[in-house]
Amino acid sequence: MSFNLENITRENIKDLKPYSSARDEFVSLGEDMVFLDANENPYANGVNRYPDPHQHKLKALLAKQRGINKKQIVLGNGSDEILDLLFRAFCEPNADNIVSLPPTYGMYKVLSATNAVENREVLLNADFQPDIDAIFKVVNKNTKLLFLCSPNNPTGNLIANDLIESILTEFNGLVVMDEAYIDFASTASWINRLDEYPNLVVTQTLSKAYGMAGIRLGMCFASKEITTVLKKIKPPYNVNELTQQRALLGVKNSDKVATQVEEILVERKNLLKALSKISFIRHVYPSEANFLLVKVDDAKLRYEQLLNAGIVIRNRSNQPLCDNTLRFTVGTSEENTKLINVLKEIK
Ligand SMILES: *Cc1c(COP(=O)(O)O)cnc(C)c1O
């Protein structure tokens, strides 16, 4: 393969000099300095100073936990911001294109529309796996990004490793592995393979397994060359002080996350069994995430009935290959019991 980051980076981004913030020009080394450089209010209240634009503490902890170099990490206001940075760094509006594989996460389409980048959609096959031949039929020299979501939302399955490997090897743009649900999966993260594939970008988030959707913290792991480009264009203070503090605590307490994930996996198994026995549920798809996709007789009707009983789920029927499907997030034991009881009662 002939992947070359220079070739896929937009000219204006190559030439760009990033904004140099007050905190870039002077970094405190711990001594008692008087900070009169950023026009902040001097009265301390915990958040009167700008946050660390490089999130050093959080990155150091993440790097240690995941066994990679700190320089291989970019953090964002949710992984949605990371995905947007990828578009802006590598895709020339009204010229370049990306490939996404529906049914999948809706933001790839929204971000391509916002950035005026063509979204070439290649449907997953009946097993929800990528169709390699069809993908390479639509790929051309302007294809800059290819999104793989594994475990995939809303189908819940993992993408097969051999297919991912062949895409990584044959594709000359960036392969973005969206691992929002990796903590629930039975396989290892592709972070471990970054050294093998210079065109691999892995995104993760604290929004799902870590239970911190409210703070908005997304993570990107890639080569130092790729992270250097993304860091050039990210807003300097994109991860606020409160988020950095809470994220640090959450990542430090990853034991608690692991315990909750185990409980959610037990619940997922029980829920799958119970759902399979409901008369109007035709199929429950196996899941490697914290949700289950099910095929029903009449998704619209069942959605309304659940809503009337006070249970909010997602109707995914408008997605290709997802006719009459509903997506249930795995809740607490009590919530799942309530769901099953309601499902048993509705006619
Ligand atoms: C939920 C989700 C995200 C969103 O992550 P944020 O960090 O909350 O922006 C990204 N990708 C997929 C596949 C998701 O389901």
Tab-separated table of all heavy atoms in Angstrom, residues 51-95:
chain	number	residue	atom	x	y	z
A	51	PRO	N	-8.277	26.251	31.104
A	51	PRO	CA	-7.839	24.865	31.328
A	51	PRO	C	-6.548	24.561	30.556
A	51	PRO	O	-6.176	25.312	29.653
A	51	PRO	CB	-8.997	24.043	30.763
A	51	PRO	CG	-9.595	24.902	29.702
A	51	PRO	CD	-9.441	26.319	30.179
A	52	ASP	N	-5.898	23.474	30.907
A	52	ASP	CA	-4.691	23.035	30.188
A	52	ASP	C	-5.079	22.670	28.748
A	52	ASP	O	-5.846	21.735	28.529
A	52	ASP	CB	-4.109	21.817	30.920
A	52	ASP	CG	-2.931	21.189	30.161
A	52	ASP	OD1	-2.503	21.760	29.126
A	52	ASP	OD2	-2.462	20.124	30.605
A	53	PRO	N	-4.562	23.401	27.752
A	53	PRO	CA	-4.958	23.113	26.365
A	53	PRO	C	-4.463	21.750	25.879
A	53	PRO	O	-4.957	21.231	24.883
A	53	PRO	CB	-4.304	24.241	25.558
A	53	PRO	CG	-3.209	24.774	26.412
A	53	PRO	CD	-3.595	24.522	27.839
A	54	HIS	N	-3.492	21.174	26.577
A	54	HIS	CA	-2.945	19.875	26.150
A	54	HIS	C	-3.373	18.730	27.070
A	54	HIS	O	-2.968	17.592	26.867
A	54	HIS	CB	-1.420	19.951	26.073
A	54	HIS	CG	-0.951	21.104	25.242
A	54	HIS	ND1	-1.175	21.169	23.884
A	54	HIS	CD2	-0.335	22.269	25.586
A	54	HIS	CE1	-0.692	22.322	23.422
A	54	HIS	NE2	-0.190	23.000	24.437
A	55	GLN	N	-4.152	19.017	28.075
A	55	GLN	CA	-4.701	18.003	28.997
A	55	GLN	C	-3.623	17.015	29.461
A	55	GLN	O	-3.821	15.800	29.406
A	55	GLN	CB	-5.872	17.246	28.335
A	55	GLN	CG	-6.936	18.121	27.696
A	55	GLN	CD	-6.748	18.284	26.194
A	55	GLN	OE1	-6.057	17.505	25.528
A	55	GLN	NE2	-7.336	19.321	25.623
A	56	HIS	N	-2.479	17.560	29.934
A	56	HIS	CA	-1.326	16.710	30.250
A	56	HIS	C	-1.634	15.585	31.246
A	56	HIS	O	-1.252	14.440	31.033
A	56	HIS	CB	-0.166	17.552	30.793
A	56	HIS	CG	0.549	18.305	29.716
A	56	HIS	ND1	1.290	17.671	28.740
A	56	HIS	CD2	0.620	19.639	29.450
A	56	HIS	CE1	1.796	18.585	27.918
A	56	HIS	NE2	1.393	19.786	28.326
A	57	LYS	N	-2.322	15.930	32.339
A	57	LYS	CA	-2.548	14.915	33.393
A	57	LYS	C	-3.412	13.767	32.873
A	57	LYS	O	-3.102	12.605	33.079
A	57	LYS	CB	-3.254	15.550	34.596
A	57	LYS	CG	-2.329	16.361	35.476
A	57	LYS	CD	-3.073	16.792	36.732
A	57	LYS	CE	-2.282	17.868	37.459
A	57	LYS	NZ	-3.171	18.760	38.216
A	58	LEU	N	-4.492	14.134	32.202
A	58	LEU	CA	-5.413	13.120	31.707
A	58	LEU	C	-4.739	12.241	30.650
A	58	LEU	O	-4.857	11.008	30.667
A	58	LEU	CB	-6.654	13.827	31.130
A	58	LEU	CG	-7.813	12.969	30.653
A	58	LEU	CD1	-8.238	11.969	31.719
A	58	LEU	CD2	-8.990	13.875	30.273
A	59	LYS	N	-3.982	12.881	29.766
A	59	LYS	CA	-3.294	12.108	28.724
A	59	LYS	C	-2.238	11.182	29.321
A	59	LYS	O	-2.066	10.051	28.852
A	59	LYS	CB	-2.636	13.035	27.713
A	59	LYS	CG	-3.594	13.550	26.677
A	59	LYS	CD	-2.839	14.366	25.660
A	59	LYS	CE	-3.795	15.097	24.751
A	59	LYS	NZ	-3.097	16.146	24.002
A	60	ALA	N	-1.533	11.660	30.352
A	60	ALA	CA	-0.493	10.828	30.967
A	60	ALA	C	-1.124	9.563	31.534
A	60	ALA	O	-0.602	8.451	31.355
A	60	ALA	CB	0.225	11.613	32.059
A	61	LEU	N	-2.267	9.724	32.197
A	61	LEU	CA	-2.942	8.565	32.785
A	61	LEU	C	-3.461	7.616	31.700
A	61	LEU	O	-3.284	6.391	31.786
A	61	LEU	CB	-4.091	9.054	33.674
A	61	LEU	CG	-4.862	8.002	34.446
A	61	LEU	CD1	-3.946	7.252	35.408
A	61	LEU	CD2	-6.016	8.634	35.219
A	62	LEU	N	-4.083	8.175	30.665
A	62	LEU	CA	-4.599	7.347	29.573
A	62	LEU	C	-3.465	6.599	28.869
A	62	LEU	O	-3.587	5.418	28.539
A	62	LEU	CB	-5.354	8.214	28.558
A	62	LEU	CG	-6.735	8.728	28.979
A	62	LEU	CD1	-7.207	9.817	28.021
A	62	LEU	CD2	-7.740	7.586	29.044
A	63	ALA	N	-2.351	7.313	28.658
A	63	ALA	CA	-1.212	6.699	27.962
A	63	ALA	C	-0.679	5.513	28.771
A	63	ALA	O	-0.373	4.457	28.212
A	63	ALA	CB	-0.118	7.728	27.741
A	64	LYS	N	-0.601	5.708	30.085
A	64	LYS	CA	-0.088	4.643	30.955
A	64	LYS	C	-1.038	3.439	30.926
A	64	LYS	O	-0.608	2.312	30.710
A	64	LYS	CB	0.037	5.193	32.386
A	64	LYS	CG	0.965	4.388	33.254
A	64	LYS	CD	1.272	5.126	34.548
A	64	LYS	CE	1.183	4.152	35.702
A	64	LYS	NZ	0.621	4.739	36.909
A	65	GLN	N	-2.343	3.713	31.094
A	65	GLN	CA	-3.335	2.630	31.104
A	65	GLN	C	-3.354	1.845	29.801
A	65	GLN	O	-3.544	0.640	29.794
A	65	GLN	CB	-4.733	3.198	31.328
A	65	GLN	CG	-5.093	3.358	32.780
A	65	GLN	CD	-6.567	3.679	32.953
A	65	GLN	OE1	-7.326	3.758	31.991
A	65	GLN	NE2	-6.975	3.869	34.189
A	66	ARG	N	-3.203	2.545	28.696
A	66	ARG	CA	-3.348	1.890	27.396
A	66	ARG	C	-2.017	1.506	26.764
A	66	ARG	O	-1.980	0.979	25.662
A	66	ARG	CB	-4.133	2.805	26.457
A	66	ARG	CG	-5.611	2.708	26.801
A	66	ARG	CD	-6.312	4.020	26.609
A	66	ARG	NE	-7.345	4.160	27.631
A	66	ARG	CZ	-8.631	3.953	27.419
A	66	ARG	NH1	-9.067	3.648	26.247
A	66	ARG	NH2	-9.504	4.068	28.401
A	67	GLY	N	-0.929	1.813	27.464
A	67	GLY	CA	0.392	1.416	26.980
A	67	GLY	C	0.793	2.055	25.666
A	67	GLY	O	1.396	1.405	24.812
A	68	ILE	N	0.432	3.330	25.499
A	68	ILE	CA	0.887	4.022	24.287
A	68	ILE	C	1.532	5.352	24.672
A	68	ILE	O	1.496	5.763	25.826
A	68	ILE	CB	-0.238	4.269	23.254
A	68	ILE	CG1	-1.327	5.163	23.838
A	68	ILE	CG2	-0.830	2.970	22.754
A	68	ILE	CD1	-2.246	5.677	22.760
A	69	ASN	N	2.118	6.015	23.687
A	69	ASN	CA	2.761	7.297	23.915
A	69	ASN	C	1.709	8.409	24.031
A	69	ASN	O	0.753	8.435	23.257
A	69	ASN	CB	3.704	7.574	22.728
A	69	ASN	CG	4.625	8.731	22.995
A	69	ASN	OD1	4.189	9.826	23.367
A	69	ASN	ND2	5.912	8.487	22.815
A	70	LYS	N	1.939	9.298	25.011
A	70	LYS	CA	1.055	10.450	25.213
A	70	LYS	C	0.828	11.255	23.930
A	70	LYS	O	-0.240	11.817	23.706
A	70	LYS	CB	1.772	11.362	26.218
A	70	LYS	CG	0.943	11.873	27.339
A	70	LYS	CD	1.865	12.516	28.359
A	70	LYS	CE	1.586	13.988	28.445
A	70	LYS	NZ	2.418	14.673	29.439
A	71	LYS	N	1.859	11.297	23.096
A	71	LYS	CA	1.772	12.091	21.858
A	71	LYS	C	0.827	11.456	20.839
A	71	LYS	O	0.514	12.067	19.817
A	71	LYS	CB	3.155	12.246	21.221
A	71	LYS	CG	4.065	13.100	22.064
A	71	LYS	CD	5.313	13.476	21.299
A	71	LYS	CE	6.155	14.461	22.098
A	71	LYS	NZ	7.580	14.161	21.986
A	72	GLN	N	0.422	10.230	21.101
A	72	GLN	CA	-0.509	9.562	20.175
A	72	GLN	C	-1.974	9.803	20.540
A	72	GLN	O	-2.860	9.139	20.014
A	72	GLN	CB	-0.232	8.060	20.173
A	72	GLN	CG	1.110	7.703	19.560
A	72	GLN	CD	1.288	6.208	19.517
A	72	GLN	OE1	1.690	5.599	20.503
A	72	GLN	NE2	0.980	5.606	18.385
A	73	ILE	N	-2.218	10.737	21.471
A	73	ILE	CA	-3.589	10.979	21.941
A	73	ILE	C	-4.045	12.399	21.594
A	73	ILE	O	-3.292	13.351	21.762
A	73	ILE	CB	-3.686	10.797	23.478
A	73	ILE	CG1	-3.106	9.448	23.909
A	73	ILE	CG2	-5.123	10.945	23.956
A	73	ILE	CD1	-3.087	9.230	25.419
A	74	VAL	N	-5.278	12.513	21.098
A	74	VAL	CA	-5.948	13.810	20.981
A	74	VAL	C	-7.271	13.675	21.733
A	74	VAL	O	-7.972	12.674	21.580
A	74	VAL	CB	-6.269	14.202	19.514
A	74	VAL	CG1	-6.892	15.601	19.464
A	74	VAL	CG2	-5.022	14.163	18.651
A	75	LEU	N	-7.596	14.676	22.570
A	75	LEU	CA	-8.858	14.626	23.304
A	75	LEU	C	-9.798	15.688	22.756
A	75	LEU	O	-9.361	16.736	22.268
A	75	LEU	CB	-8.605	14.846	24.801
A	75	LEU	CG	-7.675	13.806	25.459
A	75	LEU	CD1	-7.454	14.130	26.926
A	75	LEU	CD2	-8.248	12.396	25.300
A	76	GLY	N	-11.093	15.397	22.823
A	76	GLY	CA	-12.060	16.340	22.256
A	76	GLY	C	-13.324	16.450	23.083
A	76	GLY	O	-13.543	15.683	24.030
A	77	ASN	N	-14.151	17.400	22.704
A	77	ASN	CA	-15.456	17.618	23.324
A	77	ASN	C	-16.410	16.531	22.797
A	77	ASN	O	-17.211	16.755	21.909
A	77	ASN	CB	-15.925	19.034	22.959
A	77	ASN	CG	-17.232	19.407	23.619
A	77	ASN	OD1	-17.752	18.676	24.462
A	77	ASN	ND2	-17.777	20.535	23.240
A	78	GLY	N	-16.249	15.334	23.360
A	78	GLY	CA	-16.941	14.156	22.836
A	78	GLY	C	-16.176	13.605	21.647
A	78	GLY	O	-15.367	14.327	21.032
A	79	SER	N	-16.414	12.326	21.297
A	79	SER	CA	-15.713	11.824	20.112
A	79	SER	C	-16.299	12.446	18.847
A	79	SER	O	-15.661	12.468	17.808
A	79	SER	CB	-15.667	10.299	20.048
A	79	SER	OG	-16.924	9.749	20.232
A	80	ASP	N	-17.507	13.000	18.945
A	80	ASP	CA	-18.070	13.708	17.795
A	80	ASP	C	-17.159	14.857	17.346
A	80	ASP	O	-17.037	15.114	16.146
A	80	ASP	CB	-19.472	14.240	18.126
A	80	ASP	CG	-20.502	13.108	18.202
A	80	ASP	OD1	-20.196	11.982	17.755
A	80	ASP	OD2	-21.604	13.347	18.706
A	81	GLU	N	-16.527	15.553	18.302
A	81	GLU	CA	-15.611	16.632	17.899
A	81	GLU	C	-14.383	16.068	17.190
A	81	GLU	O	-13.893	16.647	16.211
A	81	GLU	CB	-15.160	17.486	19.098
A	81	GLU	CG	-14.263	18.641	18.621
A	81	GLU	CD	-13.679	19.513	19.722
A	81	GLU	OE1	-13.354	19.001	20.806
A	81	GLU	OE2	-13.529	20.727	19.476
A	82	ILE	N	-13.901	14.921	17.667
A	82	ILE	CA	-12.742	14.273	17.034
A	82	ILE	C	-13.069	13.937	15.574
A	82	ILE	O	-12.279	14.178	14.668
A	82	ILE	CB	-12.366	12.969	17.780
A	82	ILE	CG1	-12.082	13.235	19.264
A	82	ILE	CG2	-11.236	12.240	17.074
A	82	ILE	CD1	-10.788	13.917	19.546
A	83	LEU	N	-14.266	13.372	15.368
A	83	LEU	CA	-14.661	12.991	14.006
A	83	LEU	C	-14.720	14.236	13.114
A	83	LEU	O	-14.277	14.214	11.965
A	83	LEU	CB	-16.020	12.275	14.020
A	83	LEU	CG	-16.092	10.983	14.861
A	83	LEU	CD1	-17.511	10.408	14.853
A	83	LEU	CD2	-15.106	9.937	14.363
A	84	ASP	N	-15.226	15.323	13.662
A	84	ASP	CA	-15.301	16.572	12.894
A	84	ASP	C	-13.897	17.086	12.554
A	84	ASP	O	-13.656	17.547	11.431
A	84	ASP	CB	-16.096	17.613	13.691
A	84	ASP	CG	-16.392	18.856	12.874
A	84	ASP	OD1	-16.916	18.702	11.749
A	84	ASP	OD2	-16.087	19.962	13.336
A	85	LEU	N	-12.958	16.987	13.498
A	85	LEU	CA	-11.579	17.412	13.232
A	85	LEU	C	-10.987	16.611	12.070
A	85	LEU	O	-10.256	17.155	11.235
A	85	LEU	CB	-10.693	17.221	14.467
A	85	LEU	CG	-10.940	18.115	15.687
A	85	LEU	CD1	-9.992	17.719	16.825
A	85	LEU	CD2	-10.757	19.589	15.346
A	86	LEU	N	-11.314	15.328	12.010
A	86	LEU	CA	-10.791	14.485	10.922
A	86	LEU	C	-11.285	14.983	9.567
A	86	LEU	O	-10.508	15.075	8.607
A	86	LEU	CB	-11.205	13.027	11.139
A	86	LEU	CG	-10.476	12.299	12.274
A	86	LEU	CD1	-11.226	11.032	12.675
A	86	LEU	CD2	-9.041	11.957	11.868
A	87	PHE	N	-12.570	15.323	9.502
A	87	PHE	CA	-13.107	15.871	8.247
A	87	PHE	C	-12.375	17.154	7.877
A	87	PHE	O	-11.965	17.351	6.733
A	87	PHE	CB	-14.608	16.192	8.389
A	87	PHE	CG	-15.504	15.026	8.110
A	87	PHE	CD1	-15.910	14.185	9.130
A	87	PHE	CD2	-15.937	14.773	6.820
A	87	PHE	CE1	-16.741	13.107	8.873
A	87	PHE	CE2	-16.775	13.696	6.556
A	87	PHE	CZ	-17.174	12.862	7.583
A	88	ARG	N	-12.216	18.039	8.853
A	88	ARG	CA	-11.669	19.354	8.542
A	88	ARG	C	-10.189	19.307	8.193
A	88	ARG	O	-9.700	20.138	7.435
A	88	ARG	CB	-11.965	20.325	9.681
A	88	ARG	CG	-13.467	20.617	9.751
A	88	ARG	CD	-13.758	21.852	10.542
A	88	ARG	NE	-13.614	21.589	11.963
A	88	ARG	CZ	-12.963	22.373	12.798
A	88	ARG	NH1	-12.375	23.468	12.382
A	88	ARG	NH2	-12.915	22.068	14.079
A	89	ALA	N	-9.474	18.322	8.733
A	89	ALA	CA	-8.039	18.219	8.440
A	89	ALA	C	-7.779	17.568	7.086
A	89	ALA	O	-6.823	17.911	6.398
A	89	ALA	CB	-7.346	17.432	9.543
A	90	PHE	N	-8.629	16.612	6.689
A	90	PHE	CA	-8.271	15.776	5.542
A	90	PHE	C	-9.205	15.860	4.342
A	90	PHE	O	-8.847	15.410	3.256
A	90	PHE	CB	-8.123	14.316	6.002
A	90	PHE	CG	-7.092	14.156	7.091
A	90	PHE	CD1	-7.449	13.869	8.400
A	90	PHE	CD2	-5.743	14.338	6.801
A	90	PHE	CE1	-6.490	13.756	9.406
A	90	PHE	CE2	-4.771	14.232	7.795
A	90	PHE	CZ	-5.145	13.942	9.093
A	91	CYS	N	-10.413	16.406	4.518
A	91	CYS	CA	-11.373	16.380	3.413
A	91	CYS	C	-11.613	17.775	2.852
A	91	CYS	O	-12.135	18.656	3.542
A	91	CYS	CB	-12.703	15.797	3.874
A	91	CYS	SG	-12.555	14.131	4.511
A	92	GLU	N	-11.258	17.955	1.592
A	92	GLU	CA	-11.483	19.225	0.903
A	92	GLU	C	-12.975	19.327	0.572
A	92	GLU	O	-13.504	18.447	-0.125
A	92	GLU	CB	-10.639	19.226	-0.377
A	92	GLU	CG	-10.401	20.581	-0.992
A	92	GLU	CD	-9.668	21.545	-0.061
A	92	GLU	OE1	-8.742	21.115	0.666
A	92	GLU	OE2	-10.044	22.717	-0.064
A	93	PRO	N	-13.664	20.380	1.063
A	93	PRO	CA	-15.100	20.503	0.770
A	93	PRO	C	-15.364	20.503	-0.745
A	93	PRO	O	-14.550	21.030	-1.515
A	93	PRO	CB	-15.472	21.857	1.385
A	93	PRO	CG	-14.439	22.099	2.432
A	93	PRO	CD	-13.183	21.454	1.939
A	94	ASN	N	-16.475	19.893	-1.144
A	94	ASN	CA	-16.899	19.846	-2.544
A	94	ASN	C	-15.895	19.194	-3.490
A	94	ASN	O	-15.919	19.433	-4.688
A	94	ASN	CB	-17.223	21.262	-3.046
A	94	ASN	CG	-18.305	21.903	-2.215
A	94	ASN	OD1	-19.347	21.291	-1.976
A	94	ASN	ND2	-18.069	23.105	-1.726
A	95	ALA	N	-14.994	18.390	-2.955
A	95	ALA	CA	-14.016	17.700	-3.807
A	95	ALA	C	-13.771	16.276	-3.303
A	95	ALA	O	-13.859	15.326	-4.074
A	95	ALA	CB	-12.700	18.469	-3.837
